[in-house]
Amino acid sequence: MFRQLFFIFLLIIPFKTGFTQQNSEELPKTNYNAFSDVLNKGMTMIEDDVTILGKEKIFKMDAGPESETGNFFLNVCKQRFSAYRFVYDKSTDSIDYGLFVRNLKLGVEYSVPEGKSLLGDDYTVRKISVSFSYSSGKPEHESNGRNFSGSFKDTVNVKYLDYIQNSGFAFMNSELPEKSFFRKAFVPAVVVLVSAATVILFFTIRSK
């Protein structure tokens, strides 16, 4: 009997420990904020260029054809360069320089969910990717072409997936790959076993 109780105790302890650790987690960064942070790193080269050309000049920012990713880029740009003389109307000609962003690509992907412990929550590795090419000058004299590629990677509890993807931008959402057979079938069975073991242990102790 002692061996059986000891076995049940070993099953219950990891379960309770994992539950306590997960309850102390902080909310992860949203995809919106992660994309904004990476884009801001890429905009550093634009800011350097504007400083060299003259902050007092009038610049027209052109992010290419109308698109969801382009609109997001411009939103971040307006916040970053609110103190500069930037215009965003493509029909405007009264400018000193044009700033041209092309081949803008923003995406997010997740790894197959895995547990940090046998009975703990599932976690996925999130990777935010941003890339674009940039040049400046007059439309017919674009120069100083450069490329930016940046990323953000972290590990996120799957239960926060809806929270991190709640942005209103479709490109910030991605399907989560299916869990492995082990996590889908075996682990739930172990959870049921542990729950049953807890009940057995409780009544066994009470009967002593």
Side-chain angles (χ1 to χ4, degrees), residues 25-162:
E25 286 182 339
E26 294 182 0
L27 285 175
K29 181 180 295 187
T30 63
N31 287 356
Y32 185 98
N33 289 335
F35 273 111
S36 297
D37 290 347
V38 179
L39 266 180
N40 268 297
K41 292 180 181 178
M43 289 182 180
T44 298
M45 66 180 179
I46 299 177
E47 186 170 21
D48 292 341
D49 203 20
V50 169
T51 300
I52 294 173
L53 294 173
K55 295 174 66 173
E56 74 285 354
K57 303 294 185 180
I58 299 176
F59 300 91
K60 179 169 70 175
M61 173 58 74
D62 183 350
E66 179 80 14
S67 67
E68 188 180 51
T69 54
N71 289 338
F72 177 71
F73 179 93
L74 293 178
N75 288 340
V76 176
C77 188
K78 290 174 183 178
Q79 295 175 12
R80 173 70 179 261
F81 299 103
S82 59
Y84 293 77
R85 303 179 70 186
F86 275 35
V87 295
Y88 300 91
D89 186 350
K90 292 183 179 181
S91 63
T92 300
D93 294 323
S94 302
I95 61 170
D96 295 302
Y97 296 99
L99 307 175
F100 308 94
V101 172
R102 299 292 183 264
N103 304 315
L104 179 62
K105 296 179 181 179
L106 295 87
V108 56
E109 58 184 20
Y110 304 102
S111 68
V112 175
E114 296 289 347
K116 291 184 177 180
S117 62
L118 181 63
L119 300 177
D121 287 349
D122 289 326
Y123 289 79
T124 182
V125 176
R126 167 179 59 172
K127 183 178 181 181
I128 300 286
S129 300
V130 174
S131 64
F132 61 87
S133 57
Y134 162 75
S135 61
S136 60
K138 300 297 182 180
E140 64 275 12
H141 296 103
E142 294 182 34
S143 61
N144 200 24
R146 282 168 287 174
N147 297 312
F148 171 78
S149 179
S151 63
F152 169 82
K153 182 184 290 187
D154 67 347
T155 301
V156 180
N157 191 319
V158 170
K159 69 181 181 181
Y160 294 126
L161 190 64
D162 289 340

